[in-house]
Amino acid sequence: MARVEDTAANAEICARFCGSCPTMKENSLGELPPNMLFCARGQSEKPEKIAQNGCNCPGCEVFTKYGLEGSYFCSP
Ligand code: SF4
Ligand code: SF4
């Protein structure tokens, strides 16, 4: 997989997909580093287990642009 760059443009795209994701919302991931853009910045620092309630990554333009595979980049 290509390395995803932590850019403002990618963050803007991510805000639409992670930003509307039920997993993000139900686990309040936006309140903890790295907030979003997990495919570039790494997993959420949330210490508790993250309940996986759906992932919007496969539909995201960053996902397609960088040829990513998988999903749930926010959680281990
Ligand atoms: S990485 Fe996937 S599951 Fe996690 S917040 Fe983003 S869209 Fe949701
Ligand atoms: S692939 Fe997932 S984590 Fe990466 S920018 Fe898209 S929605 Fe955000």
Side-chain angles (χ1 to χ4, degrees):
M1 292 199 299
R3 181 175 167 77
V4 179
E5 299 153 295
D6 186 353
T7 63
N10 285 344
E12 197 172 311
I13 295 167
C14 186
R16 288 194 278 118
F17 291 89
C18 277
S20 62
C21 167
T23 296
M24 165 75 92
K25 189 174 180 183
E26 289 166 31
N27 294 278
S28 303
L29 299 183
E31 295 169 15
L32 294 159
N35 308 103
M36 62 169 187
L37 204 56
F38 305 103
C39 59
R41 299 173 182 168
Q43 297 165 353
S44 172
E45 292 180 16
K46 181 176 176 166
E48 300 87 13
K49 184 172 166 55
I50 295 170
Q52 298 186 338
N53 297 315
C55 178
N56 292 340
C57 289
C60 168
E61 291 144 52
V62 171
F63 187 94
T64 308
K65 179 179 166 189
Y66 290 90
L68 302 183
E69 294 169 4
S71 56
Y72 291 101
F73 299 118
C74 57
S75 53

